[in-house]
């Protein structure tokens, strides 16, 4: 019987630098993975950190990591050819079937682009499988933009609004919060529209408030609550909200359920 607590060694195939603080680690992994799921990445003597899947390849999985603490600081000392411990995937992830043949809008803020990157990539590669796909992605500044090469590909296949909170005077491109661009969204059939919203809690709250002004129902919205996920197995209780365990029942929730999860 497999012990779910025991991690496996994974070799880093490639390291992609996005900003001074955010890198993507492409690591060896064989198995089924869904966008929105997460793994526990660990280093002996330093601990574990839950990291969302930001890409799924052939026998590889991507983790886009921000250098913010003891474990992630140590991870940044590991580069291509070296190894890290991983265990997972955990959580439910995003189900592509919920968005197929619909008018899909993905709204993400900052590192929130990472867990939805798999959905964006799928519909950019298969645009015919959705009535339409729109991405609204917001970053603090042009220097904080992640996945620059991906954005160039996505713009060729889906509608993309990449906005920044602030920029130099000579900057060419959208400026402002993601909420600025929601009122301009138009749908052939609003009842068939679906939204995915991921980012900081404050951004999610104000974004969903704007989405609701369009007449969108709670059941048409999905979000991700990535909070205090430690064991990944629903045993430690750190991520429990009411009767839900984010690591098991989430981190992806339909908003009809998510709106009642009071932390």
């Amino acid at each position: 019987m497999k012990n779910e607590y025991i991690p496996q060694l994974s070799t880093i195939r490639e390291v992609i630098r996005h900003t001074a603080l955010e890198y993507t680690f492409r690591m060896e992994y064989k198995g089924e993975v869904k966008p929105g799921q997460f793994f526990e990445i660990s280093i002996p003597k330093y601990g574990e950190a839950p990291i969302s899947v930001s890409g799924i390849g052939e026998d590889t999985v991507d983790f886009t990591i921000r250098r913010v603490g003891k474990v992630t600081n140590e991870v940044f000392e590991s580069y291509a050819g070296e190894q890290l411990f991983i265990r997972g995937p955990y959580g439910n992830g995003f189900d592509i079937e919920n968005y197929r043949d619909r008018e899909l809008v993905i709204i993400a803020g900052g590192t929130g682009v990472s867990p939805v990157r798999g959905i964006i990539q799928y519909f950019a590669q298969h645009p015919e499988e959705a009535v339409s796909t729109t991405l609204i992605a917001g970053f603090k500044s042009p220097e904080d933009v992640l996945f620059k090469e991906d954005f160039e590909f996505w713009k060729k296949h889906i509608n993309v609004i990449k906005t920044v909170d602030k920029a130099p005077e000579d900057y060419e491109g959208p400026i402002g919060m993601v909420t600025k661009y929601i009122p301009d969204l138009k749908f052939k059939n609003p009842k068939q529209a679906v939204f995915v919203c991921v980012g900081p809690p404050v951004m999610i709250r104000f974004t969903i408030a704007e989405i609701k002004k369009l007449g969108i129902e709670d059941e048409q919205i999905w979000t991700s609550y990535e909070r205090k996920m430690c064991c990944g197995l629903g045993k430690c209780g750190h991520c429990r909200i009411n009767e839900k365990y984010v690591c098991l029942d989430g981190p992806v929730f339909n908003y009809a359920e998510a709106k009642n999860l009071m932390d």
Side-chain angles (χ1 to χ4, degrees):
M1 180 181 292
K2 180 182 177 182
N3 188 329
E4 295 292 340
Y5 285 102
I6 299 178
Q8 65 185 62
L9 270 175
S10 174
T11 300
I12 302 170
R13 292 264 192 94
E14 185 180 2
V15 178
I16 303 163
R17 177 174 177 170
H18 302 293
T19 72
L21 292 178
E22 286 127 342
Y23 290 10
T24 289
F25 292 78
R26 182 159 293 157
M27 305 183 67
E28 292 181 351
Y29 179 77
K30 293 183 179 180
E32 294 295 322
V33 188
K34 294 171 65 176
Q37 289 187 303
F38 69 97
F39 282 71
E40 294 283 352
I41 296 182
S42 61
I43 300 175
K45 298 182 181 180
Y46 289 92
E48 286 188 317
I51 307 292
S52 294
V53 172
S54 63
I56 303 165
E58 185 175 347
D59 296 335
T60 64
V61 63
D62 290 358
F63 301 102
T64 300
I65 300 175
R66 182 177 177 84
R67 191 171 191 162
V68 293
K70 183 171 67 173
V71 178
T72 54
N73 282 344
E74 193 64 22
V75 168
F76 268 58
E77 298 303 317
S78 301
Y79 295 97
E82 298 190 29
Q83 293 180 312
L84 296 171
F85 283 99
I86 66 173
R87 60 182 178 92
Y90 298 120
N92 55 357
F94 292 100
D95 189 345
I96 295 295
E97 289 300 321
N98 288 326
Y99 318 118
R100 189 174 275 123
D101 298 323
R102 312 289 287 272
E103 297 181 65
L104 171 62
V105 180
I106 302 167
I107 305 176
T111 55
V113 176
S114 297
V116 297
R117 180 171 172 251
I119 310 174
I120 303 166
Q121 194 76 352
Y122 182 86
F123 285 103
Q125 293 173 342
H126 307 88
E128 73 285 353
E129 294 192 22
V131 175
S132 64
T133 303
T134 297
L135 168 64
I136 305 175
F139 299 93
K140 289 183 179 179
S141 72
E143 291 73 30
D144 294 305
V145 174
L146 306 177
F147 312 115
K148 293 182 176 69
E149 291 185 5
D150 288 334
F151 272 100
E152 294 304 313
F153 173 76
W154 296 338
K155 287 192 295 185
K156 297 176 182 177
H157 302 280
I158 63 175
N159 180 35
V160 174
I161 300 171
K162 183 181 68 178
T163 182
V164 296
D165 296 347
K166 58 182 180 179
E169 291 184 3
D170 60 349
Y171 178 76
E172 295 182 3
I175 298 177
M177 302 291 186
V178 293
T179 50
K180 174 182 176 181
Y181 301 93
I182 295 173
D184 296 329
L185 294 172
K186 298 291 186 292
F187 303 101
K188 296 178 181 177
N189 181 0
K191 296 296 183 183
Q192 288 298 308
V194 287
F195 283 77
V196 173
C197 178
V198 180
V202 172
M203 170 252 171
I204 292 176
R205 184 169 76 248
F206 285 101
T207 297
I208 290 180
E210 288 297 320
I211 292 171
K212 295 284 291 177
K213 292 178 183 178
L214 301 176
I216 301 299
E217 301 293 336
D218 294 340
E219 292 78 9
Q220 296 171 255
I221 306 169
W222 279 262
T223 188
S224 180
Y225 282 3
E226 300 178 7
R227 59 116 33 218
K228 301 177 183 178
M229 297 180 295
C230 295
C231 70
L233 297 166
K235 302 298 183 183
C236 71
H238 285 90
C239 69
R240 182 178 175 181
I241 306 177
N242 301 338
E243 300 303 316
K244 299 292 183 180
Y245 290 86
V246 174
C247 68
L248 295 178
D249 303 300
V252 176
F253 291 95
N254 184 272
Y255 187 64
E257 181 178 31
K259 68 179 182 179
N260 296 316
L261 297 179
M262 302 300 292
D263 198 353

